[in-house]
């Protein structure tokens, strides 16, 4: 699926304001953003229309060395843009969390650009995955047969600890629990 | 150009230092290859899956990030809301507070939600496990009655999610796009 097909609502809003060739889903490029530079290169021009944008979608988590520094994906993005001589003026990162402070810091740390990459805050992406016809369901208390549900298909440190605590407290058989089925 | 390739141990995400001796002991006992599944969890991640999620009283949401500089809500947090179920949220400190600031209501009338304020990661997880133990000590019939009692809150959250919350952010996106064009 293309980025526009995956995010039709976002696309329909952005295209009312901006011209862009495509949206770049950053997590597809890995942390080091391998190949992003190659994908951006053919789109580089000497000049752009005022409303032209490079649109980057960053809905996944980033990787932080410390709490007070921007994530590595954002840092790599800024470095690639600088390498290609694409002004931050024409760049926009769409994310579910507010990254503007990080992007401002990256401008200072990594570039001499006069403006930062713009962060478009879009925390409602997941809203569109649940269809409107699902809206009218009722609470159905009598459907409750289990005391709780806890889904942990992908192992992460906090999920491992919580699973270990549940196990020690003999809580696993009181609910529906998954842990680590997907690497 | 120097691009950074991540070494897993060099990032703070998901690698917080466990200090609590009880938690350390439990982790040492756990096989690193351990997998557990007492139901069919082969569902599409963005499927609201009413049948599955409404079969349980409480959703213990383990968000993608727990030790992280930014709060982050994924589809996991919205699932109990669209399924009219209460939840305990294992996320970054202040996750419940942020949800309340967004206009959602949480469950402090029924149980202690102070876990949301515990900064230390392993202590926060212990508080969450203790709370889940407390809630699940009640019989199913009592939990079903609780669900009826919570009805107005659960419906508020579901309606808010599909209504004002969605509209507010849709408006915000238009505003941000306009600002971007104006200020650049």
């Amino acid at each position: 699926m293309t980025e526009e097909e995956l995010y039709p609502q976002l696309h329909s809003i952005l295209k009312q304001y901006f011209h862009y060739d495509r949206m770049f889903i950053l997590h597809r490029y890995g942390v080091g953003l391998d190949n992003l530079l190659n994908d951006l290169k053919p789109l580089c021009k000497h000049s752009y229309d005022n409303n032209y944008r490079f649109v980057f979608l960053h809905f996944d988590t980033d990787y932080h060395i410390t709490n007070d520094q921007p994530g590595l994906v954002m840092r790599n993005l800024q470095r690639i843009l600088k390498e290609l001589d694409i002004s931050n003026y024409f760049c926009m990162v769409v994310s579910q969390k507010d990254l503007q402070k990080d992007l401002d810091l990256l401008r200072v740390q990594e570039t001499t650009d006069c403006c930062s990459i713009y962060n478009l805050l879009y925390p409602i992406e997941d809203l569109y995955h649940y269809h409107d016809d699902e809206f009218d369901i009722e609470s159905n208390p009598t459907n409750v047969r289990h005391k709780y549900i806890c889904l942990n298909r992908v192992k992460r440190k906090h999920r491992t600890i919580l699973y270990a605590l549940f196990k020690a407290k003999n809580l696993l058989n009181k609910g529906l629990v998954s842990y680590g089925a997907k690497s | 150009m120097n691009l950074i390739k991540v070494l897993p141990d060099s990032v703070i995400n998901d690698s917080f230092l466990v200090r609590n001796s009880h938690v350390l002991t439990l982790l040492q006992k756990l096989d690193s290859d351990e997998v557990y599944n007492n139901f069919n969890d082969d569902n599409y991640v963005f499927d609201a899956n009413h049948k599955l999620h409404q079969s349980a009283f409480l959703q213990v949401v383990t968000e993608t990030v727990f030790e992280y500089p930014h709060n982050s809500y994924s589809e996991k947090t919205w699932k109990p809301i669209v399924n009219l179920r209460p939840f305990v949220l294992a996320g970054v400190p202040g996750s419940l507070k942020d949800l309340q600031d967004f206009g959602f209501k949480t469950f402090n009338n029924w149980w202690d939600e102070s876990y949301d304020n515990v900064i230390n990661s392993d202590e926060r997880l212990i508080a969450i496990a203790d709370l889940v133990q407390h809630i699940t000590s009640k019989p199913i019939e009592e939990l079903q009655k609780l669900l009826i009692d919570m009805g107005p809150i659960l419906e508020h959250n579901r309606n808010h999610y599909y209504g004002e919350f969605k509209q507010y952010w849709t408006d915000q996106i238009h505003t941000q796009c306009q600002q971007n064009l104006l200020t650049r």
Side-chain angles (χ1 to χ4, degrees):
Chain A
M1 285 175 96
T2 65
E3 296 86 351
E4 288 76 15
E5 287 167 339
L6 271 172
Y7 302 102
Q9 288 76 17
L10 176 63
H11 181 58
S12 74
I13 295 175
L14 289 183
K15 74 180 182 189
Q16 293 175 38
Y17 298 93
F18 305 109
H19 169 62
Y20 49 92
D21 287 293
R22 53 173 287 202
M23 299 194 278
F24 296 89
I25 301 176
L26 291 181
H27 81 87
R28 289 182 174 173
Y29 292 91
V31 176
L33 298 184
D34 302 324
N35 297 323
L36 178 63
L37 186 130
N38 293 336
D39 284 355
L40 283 169
K41 240 181 204 166
L43 304 178
C44 292
K45 296 174 192 164
H46 287 297
S47 63
Y48 305 94
D49 290 341
N50 199 40
N51 70 337
Y52 185 85
R53 293 292 179 271
F54 291 91
V55 178
F56 303 98
L57 307 185
H58 184 49
F59 295 130
D60 283 70
T61 50
D62 207 334
Y63 297 88
H64 295 258
I65 303 293
T66 60
N67 261 317
D68 57 353
Q69 287 296 316
L72 301 183
V73 173
M74 285 299 96
R75 189 173 295 282
N76 283 338
L77 174 65
Q78 181 66 85
R79 288 183 181 180
I80 288 170
L81 295 173
K82 188 186 172 198
E83 175 76 13
L84 292 171
D85 200 24
I86 298 173
S87 165
N88 287 343
Y89 181 99
F90 298 106
C91 299
M92 170 182 281
V93 169
V94 184
S95 68
Q96 284 179 311
K97 35 196 178 281
D98 188 351
L99 299 176
Q100 195 59 61
K101 241 168 72 179
D102 287 359
L103 295 170
D104 291 346
L105 192 57
L106 282 171
R107 177 184 75 84
V108 175
Q109 291 176 343
E110 301 284 344
T111 78
T112 53
D113 207 318
C114 60
C115 64
S116 311
I117 300 169
Y118 187 79
N119 179 210
L120 192 137
L121 195 54
Y122 184 67
I124 56 173
E125 176 51 39
D126 295 322
L127 271 171
Y128 299 106
H129 293 289
Y130 304 132
H131 304 298
D132 287 344
D133 58 359
E134 294 169 337
F135 175 80
D136 282 336
I137 67 153
E138 294 178 353
S139 176
N140 302 315
T142 52
N143 288 359
V144 170
R145 298 184 307 281
H146 310 282
K147 293 186 175 180
Y148 75 103
I149 184 167
C150 186
L151 309 178
N152 306 285
R153 265 195 293 206
V154 178
K155 284 185 184 178
R156 295 183 190 277
K157 184 76 162 278
H158 61 289
R159 293 175 183 165
T160 300
I161 295 173
L162 197 61
Y163 169 75
L165 287 163
F166 283 176
K167 192 177 178 184
K169 288 173 177 290
N170 290 319
L171 294 178
L172 295 180
N173 60 1
K174 289 190 172 183
L176 301 174
V177 179
S178 66
Y179 171 71
K182 191 176 163 191
S183 59
Chain B
M1 179 181 43
N2 179 24
L3 294 180
I4 306 160
K5 311 285 178 179
V6 174
L7 299 171
D9 290 341
S10 68
V11 293
I12 61 169
N13 315 46
D14 203 30
S15 61
F16 55 84
L17 190 64
V18 176
R19 294 184 180 87
N20 183 282
S21 58
H22 175 56
V23 172
L24 276 173
T25 308
L26 291 179
L27 288 180
Q28 281 160 6
K29 282 185 195 168
L30 208 62
D31 186 340
S32 62
D33 296 331
E34 183 157 335
V35 170
Y36 181 88
N37 206 344
N38 61 8
F39 72 107
N40 178 10
D41 188 19
D42 195 18
N43 302 295
Y44 175 54
V45 67
F46 287 117
D47 187 348
N49 205 333
H50 304 306
K51 197 176 170 190
L52 173 69
H53 290 276
Q54 287 207 331
S55 74
F57 167 72
L58 178 75
Q59 299 243 345
V60 181
V61 177
T62 50
E63 259 300 348
T64 310
V65 291
F66 192 75
E67 176 99 354
Y68 197 65
H70 301 282
N71 202 351
S72 176
Y73 301 109
S74 70
E75 85 292 342
K76 298 172 197 70
T77 298
W78 310 125
K79 242 167 221 178
I81 288 174
V82 300
N83 281 303
L84 296 148
R85 287 294 179 267
F87 53 88
V88 168
L89 184 51
V92 300
S95 294
L96 288 182
K97 169 75 169 56
D98 284 356
L99 275 183
Q100 289 160 2
D101 290 346
F102 276 137
F104 293 97
K105 294 179 180 175
T106 62
F107 306 94
N108 47 7
N109 283 349
W110 289 276
W111 52 69
D112 178 10
E113 291 187 325
S114 59
Y115 68 87
D116 191 46
N117 306 320
V118 180
I119 303 297
N120 178 283
S121 292
D122 38 334
E123 298 299 335
R124 190 158 76 259
L125 286 164
I126 290 170
I128 289 169
D130 288 346
L131 176 59
V132 174
Q133 185 177 32
H134 167 70
I135 295 168
T136 57
S137 67
K138 301 175 195 298
I140 286 275
E141 295 72 24
E142 193 177 330
L143 297 177
Q144 289 175 334
K145 282 179 191 160
L146 262 183
L147 213 48
I148 294 168
D149 199 24
M150 291 172 170
I153 301 285
L154 300 171
E155 286 188 17
H156 163 84
N157 283 346
R158 190 267 310 269
N159 295 344
H160 184 63
Y161 177 80
Y162 282 111
E164 276 181 50
F165 183 64
K166 183 176 177 178
Q167 190 55 51
Y168 171 79
W169 279 108
T170 304
D171 294 346
Q172 280 295 309
I173 293 158
H174 282 284
T175 304
Q176 290 177 79
C177 288
Q178 288 159 4
Q179 273 176 352
N180 180 267
L181 285 171
L182 280 175
T183 57
R184 299 218 152 199

